[in-house]
Amino acid sequence: GDPLFFSALMADPPDNNADAYASASLADASLAAASAAAAAASSATGGAGIEGWPLSSTRPLSAKSWGSFTNLLETATAISQTMPSDAMKAMDDYRIAVERIAQKIVERTADPTEGAFIEETFAYKRLKGVCFVGHVKTDLDSVAGAIGAANLFDGLACRSEDNLNGEITYVLNEVANVEVPPLFDNTAGAGLPDENGEKRNVCLVDHNEPKQMVPSLASDMGRIIGCIDHHALSEGFASSKPLLIDIRPWGSMSTIITHLYIRLSSPISKSIARLLMCAILSDTLALRSVTTTDADRFAVAMLAKLGEIESPDTVAKQMFKNKTRWICNLGPYAMVRGDQKDFTVEGWKMGIAVLEVTDTAPVLAIADKLLLELRILKKEKGDRRGKENDVTAQLDFAFLFVVDVVKQCSVLLVCGGREYALASKAFPGCEFRVAKEGMGKAPGTTIALNQTLCDVGSLVSRKAQFVPALSQALASNFTCHRTRVTDPSYKQGTSGALLDRVLSNRQAEVRVSLDGQQLERDVRVAESALYDQKW
């Protein structure tokens, strides 16, 4: 399991206020009574605490005294290994474990250790009043984490970009009833100087890769004083001074924020509990993703109780439906770019986009247009704002995984010969077929029509499955019919060269649709270049 998360429940009740502790943990009357009893016992033994300490004198014992607590963790882990993937069932099974563990923790509270005092008084004090912001190509975990952290540390929550997907807006407006955070670049103290001409320090949430930062912040990284994340530490993330970094291998960054609330004995309001719960459900695909940990399951059970949510599973289904509806209305251009991240392995550069939907059919119905957008995306990465396109900045590969969150399976759209060469090595034994029924031609001369879609089966996670598989294949002396785009000897194929001419002549421009609902591209000439090798 994840003992560190459960140890977070050893947070201390506000001084002489058992009711507040009950609200901050499980809002359970029995726990409130136990907390009061523990506080009385501490007072009877002279546990006066430390002068000036803002919280109760009841504190965790050292780890060596956690014998029976460890047994409870093993019991909770055993429960999680047999529980079904349904979020509602997970909550039901974990409710008992939550109450048992919380009860045991209350019984084992004692005077504060020096480490707990230093951590609360000095370490997290650095985050007070800072700006919290998530990554571009933003998602619910990124937005919820910024809001939750800002609420916890009296800071400023900002969103990284203007447009939010349908899942985010549904949760903010209809589930949590929380205001949309302001845009980073337009907010005083964040992207703009405040009335004193100053900008706040920044704590990153849900990312640490410079390419995923708000561009204005990526060029001013000296402001970054902290990072709360659940992704691997990027090679490009560095600082000239020590930072407060909290990175954990859990399924959602909002699980870490939940942990901090309890660790620092801060009450979680109903709105914040609902927001964080939804973010965890989103990032873990309703606790079904391979990235899901016991920490995430436990957090959902607790947050559901605090948020007065009877069925997290019902909420998750509605979230995914809203996200699917929003995705299908985006159009091919935005669908390929909405949740897309770049990675570099052994000098090879790949972009991986993900669409999480409740039904893959509407997406695959426009597979031919999505394949074209993937090919164009590779080239547009080399765009230098009006200057000549830089081929060395383009991508070697562009992939789009379409994840069915209901059936828990995925398919991969394969837009060219290089992508096919890598996908066939990364996902051996997986079936390749035509991406769209009735599709007449392949996207280029180095890929066959029946190689344009790969069924990767039960794989559903970019972080834990898609990226590792592709990265391992690249790191295993990967070669194909093309060299890296950064290689001086690199030469494009016929379709690639024609697409370059189309783009440089501005014959595939993107514009706002007549109804103002999506960005659309004039693809007539580009389609001829890719599918017919004509211009």
Side-chain angles (χ1 to χ4, degrees):
D2 300 275
L4 283 177
F5 175 77
F6 293 98
S7 72
L9 290 177
M10 299 178 75
D12 311 287
D15 201 18
N16 300 319
N17 191 344
D19 290 336
Y21 173 62
S23 174
S25 58
L26 290 173
D28 188 285
S30 62
L31 292 183
S35 178
S42 175
S43 177
T45 57
I50 297 176
E51 184 177 357
W53 187 258
L55 303 176
S56 167
S57 62
T58 55
R59 282 293 186 178
L61 295 171
S62 62
K64 63 184 179 182
S65 68
W66 292 356
S68 60
F69 176 69
T70 302
N71 293 335
L72 282 173
L73 290 181
E74 293 174 352
T75 300
T77 300
I79 292 173
S80 72
Q81 291 172 345
T82 59
M83 68 173 58
S85 58
D86 184 274
M88 183 61 185
K89 189 65 167 64
M91 188 188 77
D92 289 341
D93 287 344
Y94 251 97
R95 182 181 290 112
I96 298 174
V98 167
E99 294 176 355
R100 289 179 62 195
I101 291 172
Q103 179 74 32
K104 181 60 65 174
I105 291 171
V106 171
E107 294 172 358
R108 288 189 170 276
T109 54
D111 288 331
T113 63
E114 292 83 352
F117 172 80
I118 292 173
E119 180 176 29
E120 185 165 334
T121 305
F122 300 110
Y124 287 102
K125 185 178 180 180
R126 297 192 65 192
L127 298 184
K128 288 289 185 180
V130 308
C131 175
F132 296 88
V133 64
H135 53 78
V136 296
K137 312 294 184 187
T138 197
D139 59 12
L140 180 56
D141 198 30
S142 181
V143 173
I147 295 173
N151 181 75
L152 176 61
F153 295 109
D154 298 321
L156 171 65
C158 287
R159 69 183 192 276
S160 59
E161 53 195 7
D162 197 20
N163 295 322
L164 302 178
N165 69 44
E167 179 184 60
I168 300 173
T169 56
Y170 167 72
V171 170
L172 292 179
N173 298 331
E174 300 186 38
V175 180
N177 193 25
V178 174
E179 290 186 4
V180 176
L183 188 64
F184 181 88
D185 283 337
N186 296 346
T187 302
L192 300 175
D194 59 20
E195 63 274 12
N196 298 317
E198 298 178 350
K199 296 180 180 179
R200 303 191 191 201
N201 288 329
V202 174
C203 179
L204 304 177
V205 294
D206 202 31
H207 72 300
N208 63 79
E209 166 63 59
K211 291 181 180 179
Q212 297 174 14
M213 296 178 190
V214 177
S216 60
L217 180 59
S219 60
D220 189 18
M221 290 178 61
R223 298 173 57 195
I224 299 173
I225 55 92
C227 176
I228 305 173
D229 194 10
H230 68 129
H231 299 95
L233 192 62
S234 165
E235 293 181 0
F237 185 60
S239 68
S240 59
K241 56 188 177 183
L243 307 179
L244 194 158
I245 296 181
D246 194 341
I247 297 179
R248 311 186 188 206
W250 296 345
S252 168
M253 186 271 304
S254 290
T255 302
I256 304 174
I257 299 297
T258 303
H259 167 277
L260 291 177
Y261 267 92
I262 303 173
R263 189 185 187 108
L264 301 178
S265 295
S266 180
I268 306 177
S269 69
K270 183 167 75 172
S271 290
I272 294 296
R274 290 184 170 196
L275 180 63
L276 295 175
M277 182 201 74
C278 288
I280 299 170
L281 291 172
S282 175
D283 247 31
T284 62
L285 300 181
L287 303 180
R288 298 176 182 180
S289 171
V290 67
T291 61
T292 306
T293 66
D294 289 331
D296 306 300
R297 297 183 181 96
F298 197 93
V300 165
M302 187 188 68
L303 292 169
K305 187 164 188 175
L306 290 173
E308 301 176 6
I309 297 292
E310 294 185 3
S311 174
D313 192 53
T314 299
V315 174
K317 290 177 181 177
Q318 194 61 42
M319 286 163 47
F320 296 140
K321 285 181 180 178
N322 277 273
K323 188 174 184 180
T324 299
R325 188 181 304 114
W326 177 82
I327 286 173
C328 293
N329 287 332
L330 285 176
Y333 175 87
M335 290 170 75
V336 165
R337 293 161 177 79
D339 184 8
Q340 188 270 333
K341 297 181 180 179
D342 296 340
F343 304 87
T344 301
V345 180
E346 299 291 327
W348 295 97
K349 296 185 294 183
M350 61 179 173
I352 301 178
V354 175
L355 293 178
E356 294 173 346
V357 296
T358 55
D359 183 6
T360 62
V363 177
L364 297 183
I366 56 170
D368 53 338
K369 299 186 185 323
L370 293 170
L371 293 171
L372 173 61
E373 283 296 343
L374 286 170
R375 291 293 293 264
I376 294 177
L377 173 67
K378 292 166 64 174
K379 297 188 170 299
E380 288 184 339
K381 291 289 183 174
D383 186 13
R384 288 295 176 266
R385 297 184 180 181
K387 299 180 181 179
E388 184 177 354
N389 194 287
D390 181 2
V391 174
T392 64
Q394 295 179 7
L395 295 174
D396 293 289
F397 314 93
F399 295 105
L400 173 60
F401 288 87
V402 186
V403 180
D404 188 321
V405 298
V406 176
K407 298 178 180 178
Q408 288 293 291
C409 59
S410 305
V411 293
L412 168 63
L413 290 181
V414 186
C415 69
R418 275 177 282 183
E419 284 77 9
Y420 172 73
L422 179 55
S424 59
K425 186 173 182 181
F427 306 108
C430 289
E431 176 194 1
F432 284 84
R433 61 178 186 266
V434 178
K436 174 185 175 182
E437 184 177 352
M439 186 172 160
K441 298 179 180 179
T445 59
T446 58
I447 183 173
L449 190 59
N450 62 359
Q451 296 171 340
T452 51
L453 182 143
C454 177
D455 187 340
V456 298
S458 61
L459 304 184
V460 295
S461 170
R462 173 168 48 198
K463 179 176 70 173
Q465 295 170 319
F466 304 153
V467 173
L470 293 165
S471 297
Q472 183 177 354
L474 288 173
S476 302
N477 299 315
F478 174 81
T479 59
C480 67
H481 59 286
R482 301 271 186 247
T483 61
R484 298 171 178 84
V485 293
T486 54
D487 192 311
S489 64
Y490 171 74
K491 293 183 178 179
Q492 300 192 82
T494 303
S495 297
L498 287 173
L499 276 178
D500 265 348
R501 293 172 66 181
V502 171
L503 294 173
S504 63
N505 282 279
R506 306 178 70 85
Q507 293 176 299
E509 293 296 279
V510 177
R511 60 180 180 271
V512 178
S513 62
L514 293 177
D515 59 9
Q517 298 299 308
Q518 60 181 236
L519 295 174
E520 59 183 17
R521 186 189 300 277
D522 182 353
V523 297
R524 293 170 296 177
V525 180
E527 283 181 333
S528 180
L530 180 63
Y531 289 103
D532 299 316
Q533 291 78 54
K534 295 180 180 179
W535 180 64

